[in-house]
Amino acid sequence: MHPIIGKSKLSPNVTRLVVEAPRIAQIRQAGQFVIVRAAEGAERLPLTIADADAGAGTITLIIQAVGKSTEDLVALEPGEAIRDVVGPLGQATDLLEHGRAVCVGGGVGTAVMLPLVQGLSRNGVRVTSIIGGRSREWVILEEELSRYGEVITCTDDGSYGRPGFVTQALADVITDGPIDVVYAVGPVPMMRAVAEMTRPSAIPTVVSLNPIMIDGTGMCGGCRVSVGGKTLYACVDGPEFNAHEVDFGLLSDRLSPYRDFEKAALEKRHCQLGPQIAEVSAAATAPVGAAR
Ligand code: NAD
Ligand code: FES
């Protein structure tokens, strides 16, 4: 069992949980993730390790409540515990060692960005973070990221920071000067747009993919993606890949069938729980498995 030590809300449907997991806290590296089961028999959820404190023996998970399983997980309170936390899983990020990096985080994808930005900053790399949300209330981790370098915050509706998508800000940053690498995490259309934007100038670009995952050990094939014409498994070969080689169309197609299943499970849960969670569920449009 993994007790929950802390809990806070970052946006209307994004929650931060600090969870006791001493061994994982000691050895995890940027880019790695865990698979959690809130309770016996619960769905297995892949979640990025957004932060860790080896001294305190805790890891930080940032969860977007997009369906029944993620809502069950974020309903847990400090003092309660998560049944299973398996990890660290996946390959660690190949972090730039000097030069300039631009980290683009869309919505809850910004949580995946945080350990990368911390690692890059430790390496002495100059980091510009570009983060975005639909409106002010959906922007997360701005203050935390600003400890490690410049942050450009964007909102789709212009209610805070720079108006427009993160990709519009990226276009200006690319024009401004040389960049050694771009890391991008967020919705698939965002990552695809970033890849197309950096391709003409051949800026090395890394994306963290979020296909459906089940076992997380390369056995089930659920997380297969096509990269450079090869079939790879995001859980063991990734989750980060060269953005210019990713088949984003296939990734998007493979995510879409699960939306209907998740919508049905969510509606069933809300019928049981009543109207008090209707506000949050209105935002729950992303597919199952998108919790990272
Ligand atoms: P969202 O839909 O609110 O978008 C967040 C930001 O991404 C927007 O504010 C905008 O700046 C940018 N964006 C969105 N669509 C874009 C487009 N077509 N072109 C350019 N920029 C665009 O995001 P959200 O609801 O917070 O995030 C949910 C999505 O993020 C889910 O689909 C989830 O699967 C994905 N996600 C992926 C990972 C990963 O590891 N790759 C991690 C977390 C979340
Ligand atoms: Fe099963 Fe990756 S999650 S192969």
Side-chain angles (χ1 to χ4, degrees), residues 1-4 17 19 34-47 61 63 67-77 80-86 269:
M1 298 295 276
H2 298 267
I4 292 166
L17 292 181
V19 178
V34 289
I35 288 189
V36 310
R37 279 196 318 165
E40 186 72 44
E43 187 190 353
R44 300 159 65 92
L45 296 169
L47 297 167
L61 304 176
I63 303 139
K68 179 188 178 302
S69 302
T70 43
E71 284 193 357
D72 287 345
L73 183 62
V74 301
L76 294 173
E77 296 294 338
E80 297 183 290
I82 296 175
R83 176 74 179 80
D84 298 313
V85 180
V86 177
R269 182 181 194 276

Side-chain angles (χ1 to χ4, degrees), residues 26 32 43 61 68 70 97 189 215 251 261 264 272-273 287:
Q26 268 174 11
Q32 292 186 300
E43 187 190 353
L61 304 176
K68 179 188 178 302
T70 43
E97 295 189 351
D215 64 313
L251 176 64
F261 290 115
Q272 289 159 354
L273 289 180

Side-chain angles (χ1 to χ4, degrees), residues 178-200:
I179 299 171
D180 296 297
V181 66
V182 171
Y183 298 92
V185 193
V188 174
M190 183 212 100
M191 294 190 287
R192 191 204 297 243
V194 169
E196 291 317 317
M197 202 164 254
T198 58
R199 194 190 300 276

Side-chain angles (χ1 to χ4, degrees), residues 35 212-224 233-236:
I35 288 189
I212 300 300
M213 286 190 190
I214 301 167
D215 64 313
T217 63
M219 300 294 286
C220 73
C223 69
R224 66 184 181 278
Y233 299 106
C235 66
V236 289

Side-chain angles (χ1 to χ4, degrees), residues 237-259:
D237 300 314
E240 291 171 4
F241 296 100
N242 177 347
H244 298 150
E245 294 191 340
V246 170
D247 183 339
F248 287 106
L250 183 68
L251 176 64
S252 192
D253 289 349
R254 284 184 47 76
L255 284 168
S256 57
Y258 296 92
R259 290 191 182 109

Side-chain angles (χ1 to χ4, degrees), residues 11 13-14 48 62 64 66 104-113 130-135 138-140 154-157 164-168 184-194 197 207-211 239 251 255 259 283 285-292:
S11 86
N13 76 343
V14 176
T48 293
I62 293 180
Q64 186 181 39
V66 294
V104 188
V108 71
T110 307
V112 182
M113 224 73 263
I130 304 175
I131 61 173
R134 286 167 237 166
S135 61
W138 297 94
V139 171
I140 64 168
C154 312
T155 51
D156 302 1
D157 66 0
F165 284 173
V166 285
T167 41
Q168 291 166 267
V185 193
V188 174
M190 183 212 100
M191 294 190 287
R192 191 204 297 243
V194 169
M197 202 164 254
V207 286
S208 176
L209 302 185
N210 60 327
L251 176 64
L255 284 168
R259 290 191 182 109
T285 51
V288 63
R292 294 191 310 115

